[in-house]
Amino acid sequence: MPALLEVRGLQKTFGRGRGALPAVRGVDLDVERGETVGVVGESGCGKTTLARMVAGLTRATDGHIRFDGSVLDGSSASMENRRRIQMVFQHPAQSLNRRMSVGAMLAEPLRLLAGVPRWETTDRIEEMLGLVGLDPAFRTRRPRQLSGGQQQRVAIARALMPDPDLVVLDEPTSSLDQSLRGRMIALLRRIQEIRDVSYLFISHDLGTVRRIADRVAVMYLGRIVEIAPTGELFDDPRHPYTKALLSVAPTMDLDSARERIVLEGETPSPTDLPTGCSFQDRCPLVFDRCREESPVLAPVGDYREVECFAVTHPSHS
Amino acid sequence: MPTEPGTGGTERFVPPRIDGGREVLPLASRKPLAVVGMVILSVYILLAAVGPFFVADPVATDPANALLPPSLDHLMGTDNFGRDVFARAVHSARLDLTLGVVIAICAMVIGSAIGVVAGYWGGAIDEALMRLTDIVLAFPGFVLALILVAVLGNSTLNVGIAVTAAFVPYFIRLTRAQALSERELEYVDGAKLAGNRSGRVAFIHVLPNSLQPSLVTATLVAGWAILTVSGLAFLGVGIKPPTAEWGVMVSEGARDIDAGHWWTSLFPGGMIVLASMAFHFIGDEFGGREA
Amino acid sequence: MNLLEVDGLTVGLERSPTSILANVAFSVPEGKIVGLVGESGSGKTMAALTMMGLLPDGIEVRSGSVRIDGRQLMDPDTMTVERRAGDMAMIFQHPQAALNPTMRVGRQIARVFSLQQGCGRDEATSLAIEMLSRVGIPGAERVARAYPHQLSGGMCQRVMIAMALACRPRILIADEPTTALDVTIQAQIFDLIRDLVEETGAGVLFITHDLAAVAEMCDTVTVLFGGQVMEEGSRDDIFRRPRNPYTTYLLDSVQKEVDPHVIEAGVDFELVGCRFGHRCRYAWEECGGVPDMFSVGAGHRSACFLHAMEENGAGAP
């Protein structure tokens, strides 16, 4: 059976000509039913653009997205696919209409996407508020009367309202206090158990992704450089970028004796990429081939894929 | 037994709280001008609403009592036809205030609807609408209204239409600018994902969030509209004598000033000034975001 | 030797009995990095702004003292901080917003030298370039001629640090200096701050909500909640032997499995007693009053009535 979501050769370039900005440069990614795939990367790596293309908010320049067997064509996603793929955004205060009550906001997807008649919405809304841990009385509140954590719960409730199969979560915990993040992750996991929904979880925060994802994809400059089951990736990162990223992520574990790999320099501008591997200027393992040829994702072991000559063809380096 | 925070054990500790909290200053000291404006306006509204039932017939002439100075019988004196100036001013309040408010509301409704279309969809529609407003805005509002009344013909309704048309571009501009920034916010994407088609996104989601600047301007426009309407009437365009209207009254009374009969034009003129000032005070002080 | 000593700092809204900071005290020794950690609404940024004399309108200092090298900076009549050049410098969360967008960054740093040391334009410029290379900016001369918008966030933060160091401050206040930056860039900035502390012997007040960053960077930690100091101690004390219920709650919510259905309210600034009272699992009548700081170990203090009970031999509930 094919995966629920199949992304193949997906590309997005903003603008044209000399200033063209390639945000996503050929991404292949599968999300199975009931699975959570985490996508991590630093600012400008294209993770949010990828998320928006999957949710049908941004039209891809090239490549395709297949969802449950049917091809999604860019932004004109059919209403049925819109119902089945929902998204939660980074800034809860911004992603809710500040002039609408919580109830009115939650009723919209029910009526417009699921075709539920108006008189049945109230029960469904109160049930959903319960699922995300909010009191039914929140139905009449407006976003400004809620705390950041509560707003994000409303946003999650709205995304779940039309009973989707896939929810794209774009940095859903980044703007929340640290003590709330764990709770939000626990909530998302419980919802997944109850509703059997798949998540595409976008984040720059490795700690958060580690707690929720089954598999993790690491993006750098618009490409996935490593993808592996969460445990494998965190215990034994293979791509030099993943290694560096994991080694410098701050940790509360005072006993951890890891070697910090502080990368030199900054991420190059996507408008002016070098020939060959885009990580070459910061890579400790760089050799001649990396400057001539672009590596592609290649399997390493049973479940892992890495895009690096030094890892996939170690004999040459 | 300690309970998990927030799960509500039966004997939850209820911490004591400060009584009162932050002392909120009365509106009068936070926004004194707005309160002055509101007081003036309430007096006007009262006059306009119930005044006409208590005062004399505004168009009944009485040549025997022409040009009497203000007295207890005639609070604002009488004009050269012996009509009671106060009675005319009160009747006029009803006409002018209604015109001012209705014009402001109509201009806002039409202007915001067009503005949100331009701002949310952008592209060629926006380009066309913006050039159109450029042309309209190139004329001073008063001149534009003057031309329009000349074309449409003299009648109260036509004055209303002309003045409304002159103010619509302001609201188009304001709402468009706000909609341009609103459409970049995440809630617009959220609304799309909730199944809203673009018309609903624009009018149900973006429009209500883009109205704030227009609401403030509408108050100012109500004041301007009164000035414009009575200004046109003063020039003899639009509302004509013997209708009781402040501009008409000032225009008629202006001839009497030389003879020392100041009251026939001063009182209606003062009413115009006070009314538009009241609207401006309110609009100005609420123009900043409410603290 | 404590370079900076803040004591009894109480700050509140004008015309209101509520306080945003209540009797806050902490100190920064020479050559040490002290973490001021708390979630949103904890008052950590307000404490920094008070020290810098940058409080916004409508907020007043009610009491407190701020001393540098034993010298009182708080004017007892006006309750404002009168700091001298060289006392303190501050770097902010959004460096791009803190720099003047219309002036080349080299000139901005040079101005600090001209104003402080009265040196001429050429000398100031060369000092500025030297300072830029000292904070690890490659091609300092070229960068000095750039405007802030031409530089990345990490670069701008280095420029901010260079500008702060130009004042030769005894204390560097870093308010969420890396929150807006990527992990790999954050690692570089952390290394830079550590190196500078070692070189100059300045003290750093490191303000953040990120516990992991605190664990990485700080020697001692002060935990704030709702404008009250909850606990202070060495890094080991706070992370390995937390004594205050709030600290425990905070650490647990990040590290352990949590119940997703506990609803988080914001800080209630109108509580008379302990601000954590309404969320604390141990709260009882005593907590309607404000607890003192109890010594619970060498250099380790915590504000909680539980410690009073322990001292009276009643044992923990």
Side-chain angles (χ1 to χ4, degrees):
Chain A
M1 194 157 93
L4 178 68
L5 179 78
E6 290 179 343
V7 174
R8 291 291 175 272
L10 201 64
Q11 294 194 20
K12 176 68 191 179
T13 304
F14 291 102
R16 286 165 197 279
R18 186 175 296 197
L21 184 118
V24 173
R25 304 182 300 127
V27 162
D28 297 344
L29 186 68
D30 284 357
V31 179
E32 304 286 344
R33 283 173 181 77
E35 187 188 31
T36 300
V37 175
V39 177
V40 292
E42 299 184 297
S43 50
C45 73
K47 56 190 191 299
T48 293
T49 308
L50 172 66
R52 292 179 57 87
M53 284 192 284
V54 170
L57 292 171
T58 298
R59 195 188 291 266
T61 319
D62 200 4
H64 65 261
I65 303 170
R66 196 183 294 266
F67 182 75
D68 201 13
S70 69
V71 173
L72 305 185
D73 53 343
S75 62
S76 62
S78 75
M79 279 297 167
E80 177 56 11
N81 283 328
R82 183 135 276 177
R83 182 189 74 71
R84 297 181 63 189
I85 307 178
Q86 284 289 314
M87 182 161 171
V88 174
F89 300 89
Q90 179 173 1
H91 307 286
Q94 238 191 56
S95 71
L96 303 178
N97 184 340
R98 56 192 183 276
R99 301 213 177 261
M100 243 187 203
S101 72
V102 169
M105 248 179 303
L106 297 187
E108 278 201 327
L110 269 188
R111 295 201 292 113
L112 301 174
L113 291 175
V116 175
R118 196 182 284 269
W119 59 87
E120 280 176 29
T121 54
T122 308
D123 288 346
R124 300 270 294 264
I125 288 168
E126 293 190 350
E127 184 194 346
M128 180 58 72
L129 285 173
L131 181 68
V132 298
L134 293 175
D135 193 273
F138 274 67
R139 215 159 49 82
T140 55
R141 304 249 187 116
R142 272 162 214 279
R144 63 191 286 184
Q145 296 168 294
L146 309 178
S147 72
Q150 292 165 343
Q151 287 171 345
Q152 197 60 299
R153 284 169 192 257
V154 172
I156 292 170
R158 177 174 62 182
L160 291 170
M161 221 61 229
D163 200 16
D165 297 313
L166 173 69
V167 178
V168 180
L169 300 144
D170 184 15
E171 307 260 10
T173 60
S174 308
S175 58
L176 302 179
D177 268 333
Q178 240 179 344
S179 69
L180 306 186
R181 289 185 191 170
R183 204 158 282 159
M184 206 56 72
I185 296 297
L187 175 70
L188 288 169
R189 282 212 307 241
R190 180 164 302 178
I191 289 168
Q192 191 166 43
E193 280 166 24
I194 298 171
R195 292 292 185 104
D196 195 33
V197 56
S198 303
Y199 292 142
L200 183 64
F201 192 99
I202 314 288
S203 182
H204 70 279
D205 181 23
L206 297 156
T208 309
V209 170
R210 183 176 202 166
R211 295 175 69 162
I212 191 165
D214 301 311
R215 286 190 302 140
V216 178
V218 180
M219 282 186 78
Y220 186 76
L221 280 170
R223 290 192 57 88
I224 290 176
V225 294
E226 180 164 7
I227 180 164
T230 308
E232 273 186 49
L233 187 100
F234 280 88
D235 294 340
D236 178 27
R238 301 296 286 276
H239 193 282
Y241 176 66
T242 317
K243 281 186 180 173
L245 205 56
L246 288 177
S247 82
V248 295
T251 164
M252 283 166 59
D253 180 6
L254 302 184
D255 298 319
S256 86
R258 30 172 208 162
E259 188 195 348
R260 290 171 83 241
I261 307 167
V262 179
L263 291 174
E264 304 248 318
E266 305 192 352
T267 313
S269 160
T271 54
D272 184 24
L273 289 175
T275 328
C277 176
S278 50
F279 189 57
Q280 56 181 279
D281 294 333
R282 303 173 82 191
C283 183
L285 305 178
V286 66
F287 63 108
D288 293 346
R289 191 177 172 190
C290 310
R291 302 197 195 281
E292 290 151 14
E293 236 182 286
S294 300
V296 287
L297 270 182
V300 173
D302 291 341
Y303 303 105
R304 186 199 299 261
E305 286 177 274
V306 182
E307 183 173 283
C308 176
F309 292 129
V311 175
T312 51
H313 299 87
S315 53
H316 297 279
S317 54
Chain B
M1 248 332 261
T3 51
E4 202 52 43
T7 47
T10 44
E11 290 172 59
R12 285 283 296 152
F13 161 68
V14 180
R17 311 177 77 231
I18 298 171
D19 298 330
R22 187 167 194 185
E23 177 194 343
V24 179
L25 287 174
L27 188 68
S29 46
R30 278 185 295 136
K31 300 186 184 297
L33 279 182
V35 172
V36 171
M38 284 182 208
V39 169
I40 299 176
L41 213 54
S42 334
V43 173
Y44 270 100
I45 291 169
L46 196 73
L47 277 181
V50 300
F53 300 111
F54 295 98
V55 295
D57 184 349
V59 288
T61 54
D62 181 7
N65 288 320
L67 292 171
L68 292 178
S71 67
L72 277 178
D73 282 342
H74 303 283
L75 285 174
M76 295 181 179
T78 58
D79 65 9
N80 61 348
F81 295 106
R83 295 175 299 197
D84 184 65
V85 176
F86 181 66
R88 287 177 64 74
V90 166
H91 276 271
S92 172
R94 178 177 274 189
L95 177 65
D96 278 291
L97 280 192
T98 312
L99 269 175
V101 171
V102 169
I103 286 170
I105 291 174
C106 288
M108 186 181 88
V109 169
I110 298 169
S112 318
I114 299 175
V116 83
V117 168
Y120 181 71
W121 276 282
I125 308 173
D126 184 33
E127 223 19 69
L129 283 169
M130 282 308 103
R131 294 298 78 79
L132 204 68
T133 57
D134 281 346
I135 295 168
V136 178
L137 285 172
F139 294 93
F142 190 84
V143 175
L144 185 69
L146 193 69
I147 298 170
L148 284 174
V149 178
V151 172
L152 295 171
N154 280 334
S155 81
T156 308
L157 177 68
N158 285 345
V159 170
I161 294 172
V163 179
T164 304
F167 285 115
V168 161
Y170 292 95
F171 292 102
I172 298 183
R173 282 289 167 112
L174 277 171
T175 314
R176 171 186 176 264
Q178 191 67 29
L180 272 180
S181 60
E182 290 289 327
R183 74 170 183 193
E184 301 301 327
L185 296 180
E186 282 174 352
Y187 78 84
V188 174
D189 288 329
K192 285 183 200 161
L193 288 178
N196 290 280
R197 296 188 188 273
S198 52
R200 263 187 72 99
V201 176
F203 285 96
I204 309 278
H205 291 271
V206 176
L207 182 59
N209 284 299
S210 308
L211 278 182
Q212 161 88 7
S214 296
L215 284 171
V216 172
T217 304
T219 325
L220 301 175
V221 163
W224 289 335
I226 292 175
L227 277 178
T228 312
V229 167
S230 45
L232 289 172
F234 179 81
L235 292 183
V237 179
I239 302 168
K240 289 281 196 181
T243 316
E245 197 281 336
W246 293 328
V248 172
M249 291 168 70
V250 175
S251 166
E252 287 183 334
R255 297 170 234 150
D256 307 327
I257 292 180
D258 286 344
H261 310 307
W262 49 270
W263 55 89
T264 51
S265 55
L266 182 82
F267 287 115
M271 299 280 277
I272 298 175
V273 171
L274 270 181
S276 58
M277 248 169 56
F279 280 113
H280 273 77
F281 283 166
I282 298 171
D284 259 8
E285 288 219 309
F286 285 98
R289 200 155 285 216
E290 177 67 343
Chain C
M1 171 62 188
N2 283 338
L3 271 181
L4 171 73
E5 279 183 342
V6 172
D7 205 18
L9 199 61
T10 301
V11 172
L13 298 175
E14 281 170 9
R15 293 187 308 273
S16 158
T18 58
S19 47
I20 303 168
L21 292 178
N23 209 13
V24 167
F26 54 87
S27 55
V28 181
E30 207 170 336
K32 296 282 186 208
I33 303 177
V34 174
L36 196 57
V37 61
E39 299 185 284
S40 44
S42 65
K44 54 192 193 300
T45 294
M46 206 52 78
L49 294 179
T50 310
M51 281 183 287
M52 294 297 287
L54 296 173
L55 277 182
D57 286 345
I59 293 179
E60 58 181 10
V61 181
R62 302 228 173 92
S63 65
S65 77
V66 177
R67 273 192 291 269
I68 286 215
D69 274 337
R71 183 167 48 85
Q72 179 63 262
L73 299 190
M74 186 73 84
D75 184 318
D77 297 325
T78 60
M79 290 317 275
T80 51
V81 172
E82 308 279 336
R83 77 195 145 85
R84 286 190 216 154
D87 282 342
M88 287 182 263
M90 186 163 172
I91 57 177
F92 299 89
Q93 179 173 358
H94 297 289
Q96 255 143 341
L99 289 166
N100 182 344
T102 62
M103 203 190 275
R104 297 178 197 276
V105 296
R107 183 91 202 94
Q108 294 189 46
I109 302 169
R111 269 169 57 98
V112 179
F113 284 112
S114 318
L115 289 171
Q116 298 223 313
Q117 298 167 19
C119 48
R121 190 173 175 131
D122 290 345
E123 195 191 342
T125 308
S126 61
L127 281 172
I129 291 170
E130 193 188 311
M131 194 53 88
L132 283 173
S133 39
R134 204 172 138 206
V135 295
I137 293 181
E141 281 183 43
R142 189 175 42 83
V143 172
R145 283 195 301 273
Y147 289 96
H149 72 266
Q150 295 169 313
L151 303 175
S152 67
M155 250 347 166
C156 282
Q157 197 57 288
R158 285 174 192 269
V159 170
M160 276 301 291
I161 293 173
M163 199 166 8
L165 292 178
C167 311
R168 292 202 211 138
R170 309 299 316 272
I171 295 287
L172 178 68
I173 301 176
D175 186 6
E176 306 267 10
T178 58
T179 306
L181 304 178
D182 284 327
V183 191
T184 53
I185 308 300
Q186 166 173 283
Q188 298 170 351
I189 300 287
F190 280 180
D191 282 358
L192 174 63
I193 292 177
R194 270 192 289 250
D195 290 348
L196 292 170
V197 168
E198 214 159 284
E199 255 176 71
T200 63
V204 174
L205 185 65
F206 187 84
I207 298 172
T208 185
H209 70 281
D210 185 355
L211 290 166
V214 170
E216 292 263 317
M217 286 291 284
C218 300
D219 300 299
T220 61
V221 184
T222 299
V223 181
L224 278 179
F225 179 82
Q228 297 171 336
V229 174
M230 289 289 160
E231 186 166 5
E232 63 180 25
S234 70
R235 178 176 64 165
D236 274 19
D237 288 337
I238 299 295
F239 285 95
R240 289 188 212 272
R241 297 177 289 278
R243 297 296 306 279
N244 192 286
Y246 172 66
T247 314
T248 317
Y249 159 83
L250 192 60
L251 293 172
D252 282 356
S253 64
V254 178
Q255 292 173 320
K256 294 195 179 149
E257 285 304 306
V258 283
D259 180 359
H261 284 105
V262 175
I263 285 300
E264 51 292 314
V267 180
D268 188 344
F269 282 100
E270 282 170 22
L271 295 186
V272 176
C274 177
R275 294 259 161 85
F276 191 54
H278 64 312
R279 281 158 64 174
C280 182
R281 60 193 297 181
Y282 302 111
W284 83 106
E285 295 79 37
E286 282 288 296
C287 303
V290 181
D292 292 324
M293 292 291 276
F294 290 90
S295 179
V296 290
H300 186 185
R301 307 197 310 149
S302 163
C304 183
F305 288 109
L306 285 179
H307 308 311
M309 278 171 71
E310 288 159 17
E311 279 181 10
N312 296 337

